[in-house]
Coordinates of all heavy atoms in Angstrom, one line a residue:
M1 N -2.9 -3.6 11.8 CA -3.6 -2.6 11.0 C -4.4 -3.4 9.9 O -5.4 -3.0 9.5 CB -2.6 -1.7 10.3 CG -3.3 -0.6 9.6 SD -2.4 1.0 9.9 CE -2.0 1.5 8.3
A2 N -3.9 -4.6 9.5 CA -4.5 -5.3 8.4 C -5.9 -5.7 8.7 O -6.8 -5.7 7.8 CB -3.7 -6.6 8.1
S3 N -6.2 -5.9 10.0 CA -7.6 -6.3 10.4 C -8.6 -5.1 10.2 O -9.8 -5.4 10.1 CB -7.6 -6.8 11.8 OG -7.2 -5.7 12.6
E4 N -8.1 -3.9 10.1 CA -9.0 -2.8 9.9 C -9.4 -2.6 8.5 O -10.2 -1.8 8.1 CB -8.3 -1.5 10.5 CG -8.2 -1.5 12.0 CD -7.4 -0.2 12.4 OE1 -7.9 0.9 12.1 OE2 -6.4 -0.4 13.1
L5 N -8.6 -3.2 7.6 CA -8.8 -3.0 6.2 C -10.1 -3.7 5.7 O -10.4 -4.8 6.1 CB -7.7 -3.6 5.4 CG -6.5 -2.7 5.2 CD1 -5.4 -3.5 4.5 CD2 -6.8 -1.5 4.5
N6 N -10.9 -2.9 5.0 CA -12.1 -3.4 4.5 C -12.0 -3.6 2.9 O -12.2 -2.7 2.2 CB -13.2 -2.4 4.8 CG -14.6 -2.8 4.2 OD1 -14.8 -4.0 4.0 ND2 -15.4 -1.9 3.9
L7 N -11.6 -4.8 2.6 CA -11.3 -5.0 1.1 C -12.3 -5.9 0.5 O -12.9 -6.7 1.2 CB -9.9 -5.7 1.0 CG -8.7 -5.0 1.5 CD1 -7.5 -5.8 1.4 CD2 -8.6 -3.7 0.7
P8 N -12.5 -5.7 -0.8 CA -13.5 -6.5 -1.5 C -13.1 -7.9 -1.5 O -11.9 -8.2 -1.7 CB -13.6 -5.9 -2.9 CG -12.3 -5.1 -3.0 CD -11.9 -4.7 -1.7
K9 N -14.0 -8.9 -1.3 CA -13.6 -10.3 -1.3 C -13.4 -10.8 -2.7 O -12.5 -11.6 -3.0 CB -14.8 -11.1 -0.7 CG -15.1 -10.8 0.7 CD -14.5 -11.8 1.7 CE -14.9 -11.5 3.1 NZ -14.8 -10.1 3.6
R10 N -14.1 -10.2 -3.6 CA -14.0 -10.6 -5.0 C -13.9 -9.4 -5.9 O -14.7 -8.5 -5.7 CB -15.2 -11.5 -5.4 CG -14.9 -12.7 -6.3 CD -16.2 -13.5 -6.3 NE -17.3 -12.7 -7.0 CZ -17.6 -12.8 -8.2 NH1 -17.0 -13.6 -9.0 NH2 -18.6 -12.0 -8.7
V11 N -13.1 -9.5 -6.9 CA -13.0 -8.3 -7.8 C -13.5 -8.8 -9.2 O -13.0 -9.8 -9.7 CB -11.6 -7.8 -7.9 CG1 -11.5 -6.6 -8.8 CG2 -11.0 -7.4 -6.5
N12 N -14.4 -8.0 -9.7 CA -14.9 -8.3 -11.0 C -14.0 -7.8 -12.1 O -13.4 -6.7 -11.9 CB -16.3 -7.7 -11.2 CG -17.4 -8.5 -10.4 OD1 -17.3 -9.7 -10.2 ND2 -18.4 -7.8 -10.0
M13 N -13.9 -8.5 -13.1 CA -13.1 -8.0 -14.2 C -13.9 -7.0 -15.0 O -15.1 -7.2 -15.1 CB -12.7 -9.2 -15.2 CG -11.8 -10.2 -14.5 SD -11.1 -11.4 -15.7 CE -12.6 -12.1 -16.4
K14 N -13.2 -6.0 -15.5 CA -13.9 -5.0 -16.2 C -13.4 -4.8 -17.6 O -12.2 -4.9 -17.8 CB -13.8 -3.6 -15.5 CG -14.7 -3.5 -14.3 CD -14.7 -2.1 -13.8 CE -15.4 -2.1 -12.4 NZ -14.8 -1.3 -11.4
C15 N -14.3 -4.6 -18.6 CA -14.0 -4.4 -20.0 C -13.1 -3.2 -20.1 O -13.4 -2.1 -19.5 CB -15.2 -4.3 -20.8 SG -14.9 -3.8 -22.5
L16 N -12.0 -3.3 -20.9 CA -11.1 -2.2 -21.0 C -11.7 -1.0 -21.8 O -11.3 0.1 -21.8 CB -9.8 -2.6 -21.8 CG -8.7 -3.1 -21.0 CD1 -9.0 -4.5 -20.4 CD2 -7.5 -3.3 -21.9
F17 N -12.8 -1.4 -22.6 CA -13.4 -0.4 -23.5 C -14.6 0.3 -22.9 O -14.7 1.5 -23.1 CB -13.7 -1.1 -24.8 CG -12.5 -1.8 -25.5 CD1 -12.2 -3.1 -25.2 CD2 -11.7 -1.1 -26.3 CE1 -11.1 -3.7 -25.7 CE2 -10.6 -1.7 -26.9 CZ -10.3 -3.0 -26.6
C18 N -15.4 -0.4 -22.2 CA -16.7 0.2 -21.7 C -16.9 0.0 -20.2 O -17.8 0.5 -19.7 CB -17.9 -0.4 -22.5 SG -18.3 -2.1 -22.0
G19 N -16.0 -0.8 -19.6 CA -16.2 -1.0 -18.1 C -17.2 -2.1 -17.8 O -17.6 -2.3 -16.7
G20 N -17.8 -2.7 -18.8 CA -18.7 -3.8 -18.6 C -18.1 -5.0 -17.9 O -16.9 -5.2 -17.9
E21 N -19.0 -5.7 -17.2 CA -18.5 -6.8 -16.4 C -18.9 -8.2 -16.8 O -18.8 -9.2 -16.1 CB -18.8 -6.6 -14.9 CG -18.1 -5.4 -14.3 CD -18.5 -5.0 -12.9 OE1 -19.3 -5.8 -12.3 OE2 -17.9 -4.1 -12.4
T22 N -19.6 -8.2 -18.0 CA -20.0 -9.5 -18.5 C -19.3 -9.9 -19.7 O -19.1 -9.1 -20.6 CB -21.6 -9.4 -18.8 OG1 -22.2 -8.8 -17.8 CG2 -22.1 -10.8 -19.0
F23 N -18.8 -11.1 -19.7 CA -17.9 -11.5 -20.9 C -18.4 -12.9 -21.4 O -18.9 -13.7 -20.6 CB -16.5 -11.7 -20.4 CG -15.9 -10.4 -20.0 CD1 -15.9 -10.0 -18.6 CD2 -15.3 -9.5 -20.9 CE1 -15.4 -8.8 -18.2 CE2 -14.8 -8.3 -20.4 CZ -14.8 -7.9 -19.1
E24 N -18.1 -13.1 -22.7 CA -18.3 -14.4 -23.3 C -16.9 -15.0 -23.4 O -16.0 -14.4 -24.1 CB -18.9 -14.3 -24.6 CG -20.3 -13.8 -24.6 CD -20.8 -13.3 -25.9 OE1 -20.2 -13.7 -26.9 OE2 -21.8 -12.5 -25.9
F25 N -16.6 -16.1 -22.8 CA -15.3 -16.7 -22.9 C -15.4 -18.2 -22.7 O -16.4 -18.7 -22.1 CB -14.3 -16.1 -21.9 CG -14.8 -16.2 -20.5 CD1 -14.4 -17.2 -19.7 CD2 -15.7 -15.2 -20.0 CE1 -14.8 -17.3 -18.3 CE2 -16.1 -15.3 -18.6 CZ -15.7 -16.3 -17.8
E26 N -14.4 -18.9 -23.1 CA -14.2 -20.3 -23.0 C -14.0 -20.7 -21.5 O -13.1 -20.1 -20.9 CB -13.0 -20.7 -23.8 CG -13.1 -22.1 -24.4 CD -11.8 -22.5 -25.1 OE1 -11.3 -21.6 -25.9 OE2 -11.3 -23.6 -24.9
Q27 N -14.7 -21.6 -20.9 CA -14.4 -22.0 -19.5 C -13.2 -22.9 -19.5 O -13.2 -23.9 -20.2 CB -15.7 -22.7 -19.0 CG -16.9 -21.9 -18.9 CD -16.9 -21.0 -17.7 OE1 -16.1 -21.1 -16.8 NE2 -17.9 -20.1 -17.6
K28 N -12.2 -22.5 -18.7 CA -11.0 -23.3 -18.6 C -10.5 -23.3 -17.2 O -10.9 -22.4 -16.4 CB -9.9 -22.6 -19.5 CG -10.1 -22.8 -20.9 CD -8.8 -22.6 -21.6 CE -8.7 -21.3 -22.4 NZ -7.5 -21.2 -23.1
E29 N -9.6 -24.2 -16.9 CA -9.0 -24.2 -15.6 C -8.1 -23.0 -15.4 O -8.1 -22.4 -14.4 CB -8.1 -25.5 -15.5 CG -8.9 -26.8 -15.3 CD -9.4 -26.9 -13.9 OE1 -8.7 -26.8 -12.9 OE2 -10.7 -27.2 -13.7
E30 N -7.3 -22.8 -16.4 CA -6.3 -21.7 -16.4 C -6.4 -20.9 -17.7 O -6.6 -21.5 -18.7 CB -4.9 -22.2 -16.1 CG -4.6 -22.3 -14.7 CD -3.2 -22.8 -14.5 OE1 -2.3 -22.4 -15.2 OE2 -3.0 -23.7 -13.6
Y31 N -6.1 -19.6 -17.6 CA -6.1 -18.8 -18.8 C -4.7 -18.3 -19.2 O -3.9 -18.0 -18.3 CB -7.0 -17.6 -18.6 CG -8.5 -18.1 -18.5 CD1 -9.0 -18.3 -17.2 CD2 -9.2 -18.4 -19.6 CE1 -10.3 -18.7 -17.0 CE2 -10.5 -18.9 -19.4 CZ -11.1 -19.0 -18.2 OH -12.3 -19.5 -18.0
A32 N -4.4 -18.3 -20.5 CA -3.2 -17.7 -20.9 C -3.4 -16.2 -21.1 O -4.5 -15.8 -21.3 CB -2.8 -18.3 -22.3
P33 N -2.3 -15.4 -21.0 CA -2.4 -14.0 -21.1 C -3.1 -13.5 -22.4 O -3.8 -12.5 -22.4 CB -0.9 -13.5 -21.1 CG -0.2 -14.6 -20.5 CD -0.9 -15.9 -20.8
E34 N -2.9 -14.3 -23.5 CA -3.5 -13.9 -24.8 C -4.9 -14.4 -25.0 O -5.5 -14.2 -26.1 CB -2.5 -14.3 -25.9 CG -2.4 -15.8 -26.1 CD -1.3 -16.4 -25.2 OE1 -0.9 -15.7 -24.3 OE2 -0.9 -17.5 -25.5
D35 N -5.5 -15.2 -24.1 CA -6.8 -15.6 -24.2 C -7.8 -14.5 -24.3 O -7.6 -13.5 -23.7 CB -7.2 -16.5 -23.0 CG -6.7 -18.0 -23.2 OD1 -6.3 -18.3 -24.3 OD2 -6.6 -18.7 -22.2
I36 N -8.8 -14.7 -25.2 CA -9.7 -13.6 -25.5 C -11.0 -13.7 -24.6 O -11.6 -14.7 -24.6 CB -10.1 -13.6 -27.0 CG1 -8.8 -13.3 -27.8 CG2 -11.2 -12.6 -27.3 CD1 -8.2 -11.9 -27.6
F37 N -11.4 -12.6 -24.0 CA -12.7 -12.5 -23.3 C -13.5 -11.4 -24.1 O -13.1 -10.2 -24.1 CB -12.5 -12.0 -21.9 CG -11.9 -13.1 -21.0 CD1 -10.6 -13.5 -21.2 CD2 -12.6 -13.5 -19.9 CE1 -10.1 -14.5 -20.4 CE2 -12.1 -14.5 -19.1 CZ -10.8 -15.0 -19.3
K38 N -14.5 -11.9 -24.7 CA -15.3 -10.9 -25.5 C -16.4 -10.3 -24.6 O -17.1 -10.9 -23.9 CB -16.0 -11.7 -26.6 CG -16.6 -10.7 -27.7 CD -17.3 -11.5 -28.8 CE -18.0 -10.5 -29.7 NZ -19.1 -11.2 -30.4
C39 N -16.4 -8.9 -24.6 CA -17.3 -8.2 -23.8 C -18.7 -8.4 -24.3 O -19.0 -8.2 -25.5 CB -16.9 -6.7 -23.8 SG -18.1 -5.7 -22.9
A40 N -19.6 -8.7 -23.4 CA -21.0 -8.9 -23.8 C -21.7 -7.6 -24.0 O -22.8 -7.5 -24.6 CB -21.7 -9.8 -22.8
T41 N -21.2 -6.5 -23.5 CA -21.8 -5.2 -23.5 C -21.5 -4.5 -24.8 O -22.3 -4.1 -25.6 CB -21.4 -4.3 -22.3 OG1 -21.6 -5.1 -21.1 CG2 -22.3 -3.1 -22.3
C42 N -20.2 -4.4 -25.1 CA -19.8 -3.6 -26.3 C -19.2 -4.5 -27.4 O -19.0 -4.0 -28.5 CB -18.8 -2.5 -26.0 SG -17.1 -3.2 -25.5
G43 N -19.0 -5.8 -27.2 CA -18.5 -6.7 -28.2 C -17.0 -6.6 -28.5 O -16.5 -7.3 -29.3
E44 N -16.3 -5.8 -27.8 CA -14.8 -5.7 -28.0 C -14.2 -6.9 -27.3 O -14.7 -7.5 -26.4 CB -14.3 -4.4 -27.3 CG -14.7 -3.1 -28.0 CD -13.9 -2.9 -29.3 OE1 -13.0 -3.7 -29.6 OE2 -14.3 -2.0 -30.0
E45 N -13.0 -7.2 -27.9 CA -12.3 -8.4 -27.4 C -11.2 -8.0 -26.5 O -10.3 -7.2 -26.9 CB -11.7 -9.2 -28.5 CG -12.9 -9.9 -29.3 CD -12.4 -10.7 -30.5 OE1 -11.2 -10.6 -30.9 OE2 -13.2 -11.6 -30.9
N46 N -11.2 -8.4 -25.2 CA -10.2 -8.1 -24.2 C -9.3 -9.3 -24.0 O -9.8 -10.4 -24.0 CB -10.8 -7.8 -22.9 CG -11.7 -6.6 -22.9 OD1 -11.3 -5.5 -22.6 ND2 -13.0 -6.8 -23.2
T47 N -8.0 -9.1 -23.9 CA -7.2 -10.2 -23.5 C -7.2 -10.4 -22.0 O -7.5 -9.5 -21.3 CB -5.7 -10.0 -24.0 OG1 -5.2 -8.9 -23.3 CG2 -5.6 -9.9 -25.5
H48 N -6.9 -11.6 -21.6 CA -6.9 -12.0 -20.2 C -5.9 -11.1 -19.5 O -6.1 -10.5 -18.4 CB -6.5 -13.4 -20.0 CG -6.7 -13.9 -18.6 ND1 -5.7 -14.5 -17.9 CD2 -7.8 -13.8 -17.8 CE1 -6.2 -14.8 -16.7 NE2 -7.4 -14.4 -16.6
E49 N -4.7 -10.9 -20.1 CA -3.6 -10.0 -19.6 C -4.1 -8.6 -19.3 O -3.9 -8.0 -18.3 CB -2.5 -10.0 -20.6 CG -1.2 -9.5 -20.1 CD -0.1 -9.5 -21.2 OE1 -0.5 -9.4 -22.4 OE2 1.0 -9.6 -20.8
G50 N -4.8 -8.0 -20.3 CA -5.4 -6.7 -20.2 C -6.4 -6.6 -19.1 O -6.3 -5.6 -18.3
L51 N -7.2 -7.6 -19.0 CA -8.3 -7.6 -17.9 C -7.6 -7.6 -16.5 O -8.0 -6.9 -15.6 CB -9.2 -8.8 -18.1 CG -10.2 -8.6 -19.2 CD1 -10.9 -9.9 -19.4 CD2 -11.1 -7.5 -19.0
L52 N -6.6 -8.5 -16.4 CA -5.9 -8.6 -15.1 C -5.2 -7.3 -14.7 O -5.2 -6.9 -13.6 CB -4.9 -9.7 -15.2 CG -5.4 -11.1 -15.1 CD1 -4.2 -12.1 -15.0 CD2 -6.3 -11.3 -13.9
A53 N -4.6 -6.6 -15.7 CA -3.9 -5.3 -15.4 C -4.9 -4.3 -14.9 O -4.6 -3.6 -13.9 CB -3.3 -4.8 -16.7
V54 N -6.1 -4.2 -15.5 CA -7.1 -3.3 -15.0 C -7.6 -3.6 -13.6 O -7.8 -2.8 -12.8 CB -8.3 -3.2 -16.0 CG1 -9.5 -2.4 -15.5 CG2 -7.8 -2.6 -17.3
T55 N -7.9 -4.9 -13.4 CA -8.3 -5.4 -12.1 C -7.4 -5.1 -11.0 O -7.7 -4.6 -10.0 CB -8.6 -6.9 -12.2 OG1 -9.4 -7.2 -13.3 CG2 -9.2 -7.5 -10.9
K56 N -6.1 -5.3 -11.3 CA -5.0 -5.1 -10.4 C -5.0 -3.6 -10.0 O -4.9 -3.2 -8.8 CB -3.7 -5.5 -11.0 CG -2.7 -6.1 -9.9 CD -1.7 -6.9 -10.6 CE -0.5 -6.1 -11.0 NZ 0.5 -6.9 -11.8
E57 N -5.2 -2.7 -10.9 CA -5.1 -1.3 -10.7 C -6.3 -0.9 -9.8 O -6.2 -0.1 -8.9 CB -5.3 -0.6 -12.0 CG -4.4 0.6 -12.2 CD -4.4 1.1 -13.6 OE1 -5.3 1.9 -13.9 OE2 -3.5 0.7 -14.3
D58 N -7.5 -1.5 -10.1 CA -8.7 -1.2 -9.2 C -8.4 -1.6 -7.8 O -8.8 -0.9 -6.9 CB -9.8 -2.1 -9.8 CG -10.7 -1.2 -10.7 OD1 -10.3 -0.2 -11.1 OD2 -11.9 -1.6 -10.9
V59 N -7.8 -2.8 -7.6 CA -7.6 -3.3 -6.3 C -6.6 -2.3 -5.5 O -6.8 -2.0 -4.4 CB -7.0 -4.7 -6.3 CG1 -6.6 -5.2 -4.9 CG2 -8.1 -5.7 -6.8
L60 N -5.6 -1.9 -6.3 CA -4.6 -1.0 -5.7 C -5.2 0.3 -5.2 O -4.9 0.8 -4.2 CB -3.4 -0.8 -6.7 CG -2.4 -1.9 -6.8 CD1 -1.4 -1.5 -7.8 CD2 -1.8 -2.2 -5.5
K61 N -6.1 0.8 -6.1 CA -6.8 2.1 -5.8 C -7.6 1.9 -4.5 O -7.6 2.8 -3.6 CB -7.7 2.5 -6.9 CG -7.0 3.4 -7.9 CD -8.0 3.9 -8.9 CE -7.4 3.9 -10.3 NZ -8.3 3.8 -11.4
T62 N -8.3 0.8 -4.4 CA -9.2 0.5 -3.2 C -8.3 0.4 -2.0 O -8.7 1.0 -1.0 CB -9.9 -0.8 -3.4 OG1 -10.5 -0.8 -4.7 CG2 -11.0 -1.0 -2.4
V63 N -7.2 -0.3 -2.1 CA -6.3 -0.5 -0.9 C -5.8 0.9 -0.5 O -5.8 1.2 0.7 CB -5.2 -1.5 -1.3 CG1 -4.2 -1.5 -0.1 CG2 -5.8 -2.9 -1.5
S64 N -5.3 1.7 -1.4 CA -4.7 2.9 -0.9 C -5.8 3.9 -0.4 O -5.5 4.6 0.6 CB -3.9 3.6 -2.0 OG -4.2 3.2 -3.3
A65 N -7.0 3.8 -0.9 CA -8.0 4.7 -0.3 C -8.3 4.2 1.1 O -8.6 5.0 2.0 CB -9.3 4.6 -1.2
E66 N -8.4 2.9 1.3 CA -8.6 2.4 2.7 C -7.5 2.8 3.6 O -7.8 3.2 4.8 CB -8.7 0.9 2.6 CG -10.1 0.3 2.2 CD -11.2 0.7 3.3 OE1 -10.8 0.7 4.5 OE2 -12.3 0.9 2.9
F67 N -6.3 2.7 3.2 CA -5.2 3.1 4.1 C -5.3 4.6 4.4 O -5.0 5.0 5.6 CB -3.8 2.8 3.4 CG -3.3 1.5 3.8 CD1 -3.2 0.4 2.8 CD2 -2.8 1.2 5.1 CE1 -2.7 -0.8 3.2 CE2 -2.3 0.0 5.4 CZ -2.3 -1.0 4.5
E68 N -5.6 5.4 3.5 CA -5.7 6.8 3.7 C -6.8 7.1 4.8 O -6.6 7.9 5.7 CB -6.1 7.5 2.4 CG -5.5 8.8 2.2 CD -5.9 9.4 0.9 OE1 -5.2 9.1 -0.1 OE2 -6.8 10.2 0.8
N69 N -7.9 6.4 4.7 CA -9.0 6.6 5.7 C -8.5 6.2 7.1 O -8.8 7.0 8.0 CB -10.2 5.7 5.3 CG -11.1 6.3 4.2 OD1 -11.0 7.5 4.0 ND2 -11.8 5.4 3.5
I70 N -7.8 5.1 7.2 CA -7.4 4.7 8.5 C -6.4 5.7 9.1 O -6.5 6.1 10.2 CB -6.7 3.3 8.3 CG1 -7.8 2.2 8.1 CG2 -5.9 2.9 9.6 CD1 -7.2 0.9 7.6
I71 N -5.5 6.1 8.2 CA -4.5 7.1 8.7 C -5.1 8.4 9.1 O -4.8 9.0 10.2 CB -3.4 7.3 7.6 CG1 -2.5 6.0 7.5 CG2 -2.5 8.5 7.9 CD1 -1.7 5.9 6.2
K72 N -6.1 8.9 8.4 CA -6.8 10.1 8.7 C -7.5 10.0 10.0 O -7.4 10.9 10.9 CB -7.8 10.5 7.6 CG -7.2 11.3 6.5 CD -8.3 11.7 5.5 CE -7.7 12.1 4.2 NZ -8.6 12.0 3.1
K73 N -8.2 8.8 10.2 CA -8.9 8.6 11.5 C -7.9 8.6 12.7 O -8.2 9.2 13.7 CB -9.6 7.2 11.4 CG -11.0 7.3 11.0 CD -11.7 5.9 11.2 CE -12.4 5.6 9.9 NZ -12.7 4.1 9.8
R74 N -6.7 7.9 12.5 CA -5.8 7.9 13.5 C -5.2 9.2 13.9 O -5.0 9.6 15.0 CB -4.6 6.9 13.1 CG -5.1 5.5 13.0 CD -4.0 4.6 13.2 NE -4.6 3.3 13.4 CZ -3.9 2.2 13.8 NH1 -2.6 2.3 14.0 NH2 -4.5 1.1 14.0
L75 N -5.0 10.0 12.8 CA -4.4 11.4 13.1 C -5.4 12.2 13.8 O -5.0 13.0 14.7 CB -4.1 12.0 11.7 CG -2.8 11.5 11.1 CD1 -2.6 12.2 9.7 CD2 -1.6 11.7 11.9
K76 N -6.6 12.1 13.5 CA -7.7 12.9 14.1 C -7.7 12.5 15.6 O -7.8 13.4 16.5 CB -9.1 12.5 13.5 CG -9.9 13.7 13.2 CD -11.1 13.3 12.4 CE -12.2 14.4 12.4 NZ -13.4 13.9 11.8
K77 N -7.7 11.2 15.9 CA -7.7 10.8 17.3 C -6.5 11.3 18.0 O -6.6 11.8 19.2 CB -7.6 9.3 17.3 CG -9.0 8.6 17.7 CD -8.8 7.1 17.9 CE -9.8 6.3 17.1 NZ -9.4 4.9 17.0
H78 N -5.4 11.3 17.4 CA -4.1 11.7 18.0 C -4.1 13.2 18.3 O -3.6 13.6 19.4 CB -3.0 11.4 17.0 CG -1.6 11.6 17.5 ND1 -1.1 10.8 18.4 CD2 -0.7 12.6 17.4 CE1 0.1 11.2 18.7 NE2 0.4 12.4 18.1
F79 N -4.7 14.0 17.5 CA -4.6 15.4 17.8 C -5.8 16.0 18.6 O -5.8 17.1 18.9 CB -4.5 16.2 16.4 CG -3.1 16.0 15.9 CD1 -2.9 15.3 14.7 CD2 -2.0 16.5 16.5 CE1 -1.7 15.1 14.2 CE2 -0.7 16.3 16.0 CZ -0.6 15.6 14.8
N80 N -6.8 15.2 18.8 CA -8.0 15.7 19.5 C -7.9 15.5 21.0 O -7.3 14.5 21.5 CB -9.3 15.0 19.0 CG -9.8 15.7 17.8 OD1 -9.3 16.8 17.5 ND2 -10.6 15.1 17.0
Ligands
ZN101 ZN1 -17.1 -3.6 -23.3

């Protein structure tokens, strides 16, 4: 079933305040949870931890929507 999944290859981080996807931040190898990413759109400061939480939620929503589509398609086939 995994091969039928159509998942985004890359997920953009989104600002917790305005949903913007452009940030000003220090380029590093790794980020600590408390590192600040300043939103270029609204100027609010997001922590890395906060951004990751939102991103994870987005991915989960996408994944469950995809699974639902697949199951619906299979059920349709099964009953027709
Ligand atoms: Zn913002």
